């Protein structure tokens, strides 16, 4: 099939690359000419394992085309995907400016009947609003072109997006007509050869499914973090509790690891957007509100542990931070715990030495510029701990999992570790380390 994907951000780029990998001709369209020129040269605006190779190979085969010419793309396409960002507005709702900007471009340039598929995460009812918006413009332009609308939310995990796209757990499709379902099932058929993983539903339910999936995962994280905090004050061991409940098949082990808070582009934004949607319809979602409140407090847990050990005044102390991205496998620092921890420590007089294998440049752009001069960025993990008074582990990159404890003890001024992801064995206390973990 010939496809246009509008938006070359995280979702659009991964989606376009994976569709082209399966032999489809894909136009990835963006209004950012500089980004498009970079992509033509194989320069990606994000870090995602294996994506760069796929982008280069797709272009070499002629299956993946990056362009700012939306008219040309639409003229040669059967299906149009909208994959632009929906950032959080000040009131917590999803900002749909980019969605309707894409709808305007479609309406002004489309010349034949087409299927418009919304892959962006959008509030319930957006699909029908977009369809009506496009149809109104087509009517004003005296066009006889007809469109159908569908919802096809993405469920990509940063750091594993290619695998998730190529081997999906499920493919959710929301539509109102059988022919739309059949068209999208044909498009995705090569992704699910061995299993029928299609979940078909109406458009509104599809839009809701994406929000509920992220809200459920965020809820599990915040719930387990709250349990960790209760374990800490009662003397229970949260890691043993996790094993005890995870063995129950009704609960499972996924997303029940205690930590220092979730971040990223999805969970915080989508929880807030779902809260806003509920409130707009006159319902007060109490559990969701607490999920977000618990997460905000959890990002301060490491700071509080530092204060407990060193005191409120941290003047003259330097802290090494391992990991700045909100999770391993990405350079994304949006809503990352590292932003909160670094700023709070600097406010109390500390200096920071930070290392992350991918996210340093993104952190520099996102961090409070008033405090950026207090952060030294290092080229490797060993330089970060050299002369530091303690180590703070925030992102559990693999290279941080089994450090040389003897070397670490020599480089640190004090053998103190704040483990924000509970990845270190408590036996290191026998080596003279003070180890602070979540829930203990």
């Amino acid at each position: 099939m010939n496809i246009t994907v509008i938006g070359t951000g995280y979702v659009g780029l991964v989606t376009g690359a994976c569709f082209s990998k399966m032999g489809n001709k894909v136009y990835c369209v963006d209004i950012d000419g500089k980004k498009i020129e970079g992509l033509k040269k194989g320069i990606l605006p994000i870090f995602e394992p294996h994506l760069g190779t796929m982008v280069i190979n797709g272009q070499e085969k002629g299956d993946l085309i990056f362009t700012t010419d939306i008219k040309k793309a639409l003229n040669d396409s059967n299906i149009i995907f909208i994959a632009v960002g929906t950032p959080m507005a000040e009131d917590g709702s999803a900002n749909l400016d980019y969605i309707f900007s894409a709808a305007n471009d479609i309406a002004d340039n489309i010349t034949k009947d087409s299927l418009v598929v919304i892959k962006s995460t959008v509030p319930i009812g957006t699909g029908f609003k977009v369809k009506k918006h496009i149809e109104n413009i087509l009517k004003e332009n005296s066009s006889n072109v007809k469109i159908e609308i569908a919802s096809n939310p993405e469920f990509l995990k940063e750091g594993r997006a290619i695998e998730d796209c190529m081997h999906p757990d499920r493919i959710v499709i929301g539509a109102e007509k059988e022919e739309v379902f059949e068209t999208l099932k044909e498009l995705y058929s090569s992704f699910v050869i061995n299993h029928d993983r299609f979940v078909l539903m109406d458009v509104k339910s599809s839009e809701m499914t994406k929000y509920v999936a992220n809200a459920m995962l965020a809820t599990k994280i915040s719930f387990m973090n709250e349990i960790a905090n209760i374990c800490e004050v009662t003397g229970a061991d949260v890691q043993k509790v996790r094993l005890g409940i995870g063995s129950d098949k009704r609960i499972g082990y996924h997303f029940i690891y205690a930590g220092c808070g979730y971040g990223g582009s999805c969970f915080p934004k989508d929880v807030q957007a779902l809260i806003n949607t509920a409130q707009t319809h006159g319902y007060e979602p109490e559990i969701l509100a607490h999920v977000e409140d618990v997460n905000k407090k959890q990002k301060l847990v490491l700071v509080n542990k530092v204060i407990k050990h060193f005191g409120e005044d941290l003047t003259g102390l330097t802290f090494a931070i391992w990991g700045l991205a909100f999770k391993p496998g990405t350079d994304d620092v949006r809503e990352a715990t590292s932003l909160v921890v670094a700023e709070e420590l600097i406010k109390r007089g500390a200096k920071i030495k930070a290392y992350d294998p991918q996210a340093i440049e993104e952190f520099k752009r996102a961090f409070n510029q008033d405090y950026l001069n207090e952060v030294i960025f290092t080229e490797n993990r060993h330089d970060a701990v050299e002369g530091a008074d303690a180590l703070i582990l925030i992102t559990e990159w693999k290279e941080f999992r089994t450090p040389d404890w003897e070397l670490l003890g020599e480089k640190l001024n004090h053998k103190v570790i704040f483990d924000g992801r509970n990845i270190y064995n408590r036996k290191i206390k026998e080596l003279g380390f003070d180890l602070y973990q979540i829930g203990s």
Side-chain angles (χ1 to χ4, degrees):
M1 293 184 175
N2 288 7
I3 302 163
T4 289
V5 178
I6 301 176
T8 57
Y10 183 80
V11 174
L13 193 53
V14 171
T15 301
C18 289
F19 278 146
S20 71
K21 177 73 173 179
M22 291 303 193
N24 298 290
K25 185 177 181 180
V26 181
Y27 291 91
C28 284
V29 179
D30 203 292
I31 60 174
D32 187 338
K34 184 177 180 181
K35 183 192 290 188
I36 291 295
E37 290 305 311
L39 287 166
K40 288 179 180 179
K41 299 173 183 177
I43 302 172
L44 274 62
I46 59 171
F47 170 76
E48 180 64 38
H50 313 300
L51 180 58
T53 301
M54 190 176 287
V55 166
I56 292 171
N57 291 343
Q59 291 187 91
E60 289 177 347
K61 294 178 181 179
D63 294 328
L64 186 59
I65 301 163
F66 294 103
T67 181
T68 57
D69 189 348
I70 190 169
K71 182 177 285 292
K72 179 181 179 181
L74 296 182
N75 283 340
D76 194 32
S77 297
N78 312 103
I79 306 173
I80 307 162
F81 281 87
I82 298 179
V84 296
T86 53
M88 191 191 312
E90 290 185 6
D91 63 355
S93 64
N95 185 330
L96 299 179
D97 289 351
Y98 297 126
I99 293 288
F100 284 98
S101 177
N104 289 338
D105 289 339
I106 292 170
D108 289 337
N109 292 281
I110 199 169
T111 58
K112 58 183 177 181
D113 295 352
S114 299
L115 170 59
V116 177
V117 185
I118 300 180
K119 188 162 278 290
S120 304
T121 303
V122 296
I124 295 82
T126 300
F128 293 128
K129 292 177 181 178
V130 168
K131 184 175 189 290
K132 185 175 182 180
H133 185 79
I134 294 174
E135 289 175 338
N136 287 340
I137 296 175
L138 290 172
K139 185 176 180 180
E140 292 173 3
N141 295 340
S142 301
S143 172
N144 294 321
V145 169
K146 292 181 173 56
I147 65 161
E148 296 296 339
I149 198 77
S151 168
N152 173 221
E154 52 83 18
F155 299 97
L156 306 177
K157 297 185 290 291
E158 292 192 41
R160 295 189 58 185
I162 299 300
E163 182 178 349
D164 288 342
C165 193
M166 298 297 289
H167 307 285
D169 293 328
R170 76 287 205 196
I171 298 171
V172 174
I173 301 172
E176 304 303 313
K177 294 185 178 180
E178 187 61 33
E179 54 264 35
V180 174
F181 286 124
E182 293 305 316
T183 297
L184 290 176
K185 286 174 70 175
E186 180 183 352
L187 172 63
Y188 278 109
S189 61
S190 56
F191 293 84
V192 289
I193 292 175
N194 297 323
H195 303 279
D196 183 357
R197 300 186 181 230
F198 294 107
V199 183
L200 309 182
M201 58 186 71
D202 59 279
V203 173
K204 286 187 175 182
S205 295
S206 176
E207 293 167 339
M208 176 65 95
T209 297
K210 168 63 177 182
Y211 277 114
V212 173
N214 280 349
M216 174 61 80
L217 295 174
T219 300
K220 290 184 73 174
I221 294 171
S222 281
F223 175 81
M224 203 62 200
N225 283 336
E226 186 148 86
I227 295 301
N229 296 334
I230 296 173
C231 285
E232 182 168 348
V233 298
T234 59
D237 187 331
V238 69
Q239 300 197 56
K240 293 177 181 177
V241 171
R242 177 181 64 82
L243 294 174
I245 66 172
S247 56
D248 186 328
K249 292 181 180 179
R250 296 170 301 174
I251 299 173
Y253 291 105
H254 294 296
F255 282 80
I256 59 168
Y257 290 85
C260 52
Y262 62 75
S265 63
C266 294
F267 288 5
K269 173 178 71 72
D270 292 351
V271 169
Q272 283 290 350
L274 189 52
I275 290 172
N276 181 270
T277 296
Q279 291 172 336
T280 300
H281 288 78
Y283 181 81
E284 195 61 41
E286 296 182 13
I287 291 177
L288 290 178
H290 287 297
V291 166
E292 187 62 16
D293 288 342
V294 168
N295 189 58
K296 289 178 180 178
K297 293 175 183 176
Q298 197 67 19
K299 292 179 180 181
L300 293 170
V301 167
L302 287 175
V303 176
N304 293 332
K305 290 180 180 296
V306 170
I307 292 171
K308 181 178 179 180
H309 185 93
F310 289 101
E312 183 73 32
D313 185 359
L314 303 177
T315 303
L317 296 176
T318 299
F319 295 91
I321 291 181
W322 279 1
L324 300 172
F326 86 93
K327 63 178 285 187
T330 181
D331 62 351
D332 194 345
V333 302
R334 285 173 288 185
E335 303 291 332
T337 298
S338 61
L339 297 168
V340 176
V341 172
E343 180 170 337
E344 290 299 322
L345 297 182
I346 292 170
K347 284 179 179 178
R348 291 167 172 81
K351 293 187 180 299
I352 304 295
K353 294 179 72 177
Y355 169 71
D356 187 289
Q358 294 294 335
I360 287 177
E361 294 306 314
E362 290 300 317
F363 183 90
K364 288 179 182 178
R365 282 188 279 270
F367 192 54
N368 187 331
Q369 298 300 300
D370 292 339
Y371 299 120
L372 188 59
N373 289 337
E374 303 301 321
V375 183
I376 297 173
F377 298 96
T378 65
E379 295 184 359
N380 58 67
R381 63 186 186 276
H382 300 300
D383 288 348
V385 296
E386 184 75 53
D389 293 288
L391 167 63
I392 302 173
L393 183 284
I394 294 180
T395 314
E396 66 276 30
W397 289 92
K398 288 182 179 179
E399 67 175 275
F400 301 150
R401 289 183 175 272
T402 55
D404 182 331
W405 296 113
E406 183 177 351
L407 179 62
L408 192 59
E410 292 174 357
K411 288 182 174 292
L412 287 169
N413 293 338
H414 308 284
K415 297 170 76 171
V416 181
I417 297 176
F418 300 92
D419 177 7
R421 299 299 175 185
N422 289 1
I423 66 172
Y424 294 137
N425 193 310
R426 293 171 186 169
K427 289 183 178 180
I428 68 170
K429 293 182 179 180
E430 298 173 7
L431 302 176
F433 284 92
D434 288 329
L435 177 63
Y436 293 86
Q437 294 183 302
I438 306 301
S440 65

